[in-house]
Amino acid sequence: MKALVTGANGFTGSHLVKLLVAQGNGVVGLVRRTSDLSRLAAVDVQLTYGDITDKDALNQAMAAVDVGFMWRQRWIWGLWMKLKWSGSMWRGPVRYWRR
């Protein structure tokens, strides 16, 4: 399986990348050009540069993966509050999709 992890250089994203790689999965990490990549220094991860608000960069990163993970706390918190009050069963700060 090949996975996309947005924010792969962050605290949570880097741990997810390491876990996926340790399980034998290929990983594409979406990071900004200005990102500190020190958490990924010894990890076999393919990096692609962009931002989750850039549709072209996101579509390019998603083109060759089977599954994706997104972590963005501020955006997710607002969505979680809306869904919580609308009666949705969706909970938690991690978004996930699969082809």
Side-chain angles (χ1 to χ4, degrees), residues 9 31-37 49-50:
N9 63 301
V31 296
R32 293 186 187 119
R33 291 208 177 270
T34 57
S35 295
D36 174 6
L37 303 176
Y49 296 94

Side-chain angles (χ1 to χ4, degrees), residues 73-98:
Q73 188 171 357
R74 281 185 235 136
W75 179 79
I76 294 296
W77 178 252
L79 179 61
W80 181 81
M81 290 304 291
K82 287 179 186 176
L83 293 174
K84 178 180 175 187
W85 295 111
S86 68
S88 171
M89 295 300 292
W90 188 83
R91 299 285 188 267
V94 177
R95 295 283 315 248
Y96 148 79
W97 72 91
R98 174 172 242 145

Side-chain angles (χ1 to χ4, degrees), residues 40-72:
L40 300 174
V43 182
D44 184 20
V45 59
Q46 174 189 340
L47 296 178
T48 186
Y49 296 94
D51 188 279
I52 62 170
T53 61
D54 179 353
K55 287 183 182 179
D56 292 334
L58 195 54
N59 284 332
Q60 182 179 355
M62 290 174 25
V65 299
D66 305 304
V67 65
F69 300 89
M70 179 180 74
W71 173 270
R72 188 171 177 206

